[in-house]
Amino acid sequence: MQCCHCHTGKAGDRVGGWQCSEGPERCQIWAKPLKDSSIAVALFNSGKESHDITLEFKIIGMDGAVMVRDLWQHKDLGVKNTSFSTTVASRVAEVYKITKA
């Protein structure tokens, strides 16, 4: 249900200024501002193996501490200061909500 709230209106945009170490088609980061001033972020891995992706908050316009929430798992992942890293499984998208802490 939480992801349904992110998917209203215009779709998100691919984040510029970030590129996967294995090329732009391997992994992608997409972001969409939400009505509550938070940002929905999708991390995509189109590769055949799991891949580590690091989201630096400055590339989505967030400075300082933020709260990261996993929207698939309905879990708060805590306050992060400058970035968030996760391993994304093969051919999977993970979706997070990033909110100023």
Side-chain angles (χ1 to χ4, degrees):
M1 181 68 170
Q2 290 181 15
C3 266
C4 292
H5 294 291
C6 291
H7 188 61
T8 57
K10 180 185 174 290
D13 295 310
R14 189 169 178 177
V15 173
W18 181 88
Q19 184 164 334
C20 178
S21 61
E22 295 187 21
E25 299 310 315
R26 168 70 191 264
C27 298
Q28 298 177 13
I29 298 176
W30 287 67
K32 177 184 179 179
L34 301 176
K35 290 180 181 179
D36 66 358
S37 299
S38 63
I39 299 176
V41 175
L43 308 178
F44 295 95
N45 174 9
S46 62
K48 295 179 182 178
E49 297 176 9
S50 295
H51 193 68
D52 294 333
I53 298 178
T54 298
L55 169 66
E56 293 184 25
F57 302 128
K58 66 182 177 185
I59 68 170
I60 59 168
M62 292 278 206
D63 291 323
V66 301
M67 173 64 74
V68 178
R69 181 167 180 81
D70 185 322
L71 295 180
W72 288 145
Q73 305 225 1
H74 305 273
K75 287 172 58 172
D76 287 328
L77 302 179
V79 175
K80 311 293 182 187
N81 288 312
T82 58
S83 65
F84 168 70
S85 296
T86 189
T87 301
V88 181
S90 171
R91 295 185 170 91
V92 166
E94 295 191 6
V95 182
Y96 301 93
K97 182 176 180 181
I98 312 296
T99 307
K100 275 288 211 192

